[in-house]
Amino acid sequence: MASARDELEGGALPVIDPQFELAFSGWYWQITRLDLPHPEIRTSRSLFATQLPSLADADSTSARGAVRSGYVVGPGDRPLRMIEREIDDEEGRYLIQVAANADVIQTQIERFEYALAATFLVLAVALLGSTALAVRFGLRPLRVLQEGLAAIRRSEAERISGDFPQDVAPLAGEVNLLLESNRAVVERARTQVGNLAHALKTPLSVIVNEADSGSPRLADKVREQAGVMRRQVSFYLDRARAAARAGAAGSATEVKPVVEQLIRTFEKIYRDRGIAFVVEAPDGLRFRGESQDLTDLIGNLLDNAGKWARTRIVVHAEPEPSAEASGRPYFTASIDDDGPGLDENERSAALERGRRLDESRPGSGLGLSIVVDVAAAYGGALRLEQSPLGGLRATLRLPRL
């Protein structure tokens, strides 16, 4: 308020903007002291002996001290944009008003709006352009992946190659794994068919030779060789089915229920021998494969252990702590028995197809070989070791979820 008092006592103060000094420039200020019997008014030189109207008359509801704004008609009947405020202190009560040419303000507002609209338009174009570039270059790895798949379909390539960004590389890796899995299934099926054809040649040759020689034992020989062929056909069909199931995606089997169900079955089979079965497997451990294959794998090993165990069989399953470099996790399932066991040479021979170590035990001798093939089809393995119980330990390594 010191400036207002100086204005009233000592005349007009210098104003920074020269437009307040030019007559009827459209830029005005006015200070009116209201607490005197006759209000004292001081104005800018631009008003040139005229006065500004008050907005208080049009807005009687405004509280004292509040800032009022609005449009009024000023000198020369020109529209003005004006703000005013009443200030009341211990030195007096004043009405301070400042007005400007409404047309000029409107022009500036429109100019600002045009500039703002142009700015937003440029930003929108830049955003659309950057989005288009991001989509074009961001999706380029997917187009490369599509071209790689097309090349594989046209037999121009066997796998997807190239450098992919971190987010797309796992997808390319999974596609390559799927392609390799499908190729492996086809190759295994072709191998099984070839092996079956080779396995049937010998029995067929025996039958033909017996028939050509007019042997009186032809019927017995045919039955004998038919049994051999039947076992060979069953064996290779089992291997082919296992290979096909191992290549299927999306299947998962919880390990513990399968083992417990098998144990209940073998407890009934070996009830007379008094063999005790122990299961040590965590809940939630899941095999990445078909339930039937896991049953065949564990079942064959339990059957083998049951034939040789004296009093005790222990089944222990646990996940491996870390995954392979490919990111695929595994678990191990070991079957221990307290039987006579095998030495190192016998353990190696036991994994050979059709090899029988002791004719005193029933079976075709193909069980362990089937386990090896099915485990290999899933990317796993079978290992035979000396058991802490004194007998044989068969350890399966299989993929898990």
Side-chain angles (χ1 to χ4, degrees), residues 207-216:
I207 293 173
V208 171
N209 291 337
E210 290 291 328
D212 291 341
S213 64
S215 173

Side-chain angles (χ1 to χ4, degrees), residues 119-197:
T119 301
F120 280 120
L121 181 60
V122 171
L123 288 176
V125 172
L127 180 61
L128 290 175
S130 61
T131 302
L133 290 176
V135 170
R136 179 176 180 80
F137 290 100
L139 296 182
R140 185 175 179 276
L142 295 181
R143 289 195 295 272
V144 173
L145 185 62
Q146 178 187 8
E147 293 170 358
L149 289 174
I152 294 172
R153 178 174 52 82
R154 295 191 299 266
S155 300
E156 297 174 358
E158 292 186 354
R159 56 183 288 112
I160 296 173
S161 59
D163 295 329
F164 294 93
Q166 185 177 1
D167 294 334
V168 181
L171 175 60
E174 289 296 328
V175 172
N176 280 331
L177 288 176
L178 180 60
L179 293 172
E180 291 172 4
S181 176
N182 289 338
R183 280 195 294 268
V185 169
V186 174
E187 184 62 28
R188 282 194 296 268
R190 185 183 295 113
T191 301
Q192 300 307 327
V193 172
N195 289 341
L196 176 58

Side-chain angles (χ1 to χ4, degrees), residues 61-318:
T61 60
S62 299
R64 179 178 295 181
V67 177
R68 295 184 290 268
S69 62
Y71 290 91
V72 297
V73 178
D77 295 331
R78 297 171 64 182
L80 301 175
R81 173 70 173 174
M82 187 172 70
I83 59 173
E84 65 180 26
R85 181 182 181 186
E86 290 186 18
I87 299 177
D88 192 359
D89 63 9
E90 54 189 25
E91 295 186 9
R93 185 159 62 90
Y94 299 90
L95 175 64
I96 300 177
Q97 298 168 287
V98 179
N101 192 327
D103 294 336
V104 174
I105 293 178
Q106 186 62 33
T107 300
Q108 293 178 348
I109 292 175
E110 292 177 354
R111 189 178 302 162
F112 173 76
E113 289 177 346
Y114 291 146
L116 187 64
T119 301
F120 280 120
L121 181 60
V122 171
L123 288 176
V125 172
L127 180 61
L128 290 175
S130 61
T131 302
L133 290 176
V135 170
R136 179 176 180 80
F137 290 100
L139 296 182
R140 185 175 179 276
L142 295 181
R143 289 195 295 272
V144 173
L145 185 62
Q146 178 187 8
E147 293 170 358
L149 289 174
I152 294 172
R153 178 174 52 82
R154 295 191 299 266
S155 300
E156 297 174 358
E158 292 186 354
R159 56 183 288 112
I160 296 173
S161 59
D163 295 329
F164 294 93
Q166 185 177 1
D167 294 334
V168 181
L171 175 60
E174 289 296 328
V175 172
N176 280 331
L177 288 176
L178 180 60
L179 293 172
E180 291 172 4
S181 176
N182 289 338
R183 280 195 294 268
V185 169
V186 174
E187 184 62 28
R188 282 194 296 268
R190 185 183 295 113
T191 301
Q192 300 307 327
V193 172
N195 289 341
L196 176 58
H198 180 74
L200 294 180
K201 284 182 179 179
T202 300
L204 289 174
S205 297
V206 172
I207 293 173
V208 171
N209 291 337
E210 290 291 328
D212 291 341
S213 64
S215 173
R217 299 180 60 251
L218 178 59
D220 294 336
K221 187 60 69 173
V222 168
R223 280 192 293 270
E224 174 189 327
Q225 296 304 314
V228 173
M229 288 190 290
R230 184 181 299 110
R231 288 195 299 272
Q232 295 291 345
V233 169
S234 177
F235 171 71
Y236 284 108
L237 284 179
D238 288 343
R239 294 176 69 174
R241 293 191 191 101
R245 289 195 299 266
S251 55
T253 304
E254 191 163 354
V255 175
K256 189 174 182 179
V258 171
V259 174
E260 290 177 341
Q261 183 178 0
L262 285 169
I263 291 298
R264 287 192 294 269
T265 301
F266 281 101
E267 283 176 339
K268 296 177 181 179
I269 294 175
Y270 298 111
R271 181 186 299 127
D272 296 339
R273 293 175 54 192
I275 298 177
F277 290 85
V278 179
V279 179
E280 299 172 352
D283 295 327
L285 179 61
R286 292 194 295 169
F287 163 59
R288 187 190 289 269
E290 294 288 339
S291 174
Q292 181 178 345
D293 289 335
L294 184 62
T295 301
D296 291 342
L297 290 168
I298 303 295
N300 271 293
L301 296 179
L302 280 173
D303 182 49
N304 183 74
K307 293 173 183 177
W308 299 98
R310 295 188 177 95
T311 60
R312 183 178 174 83
I313 295 176
V314 178
V315 181
H316 178 79
E318 63 179 0

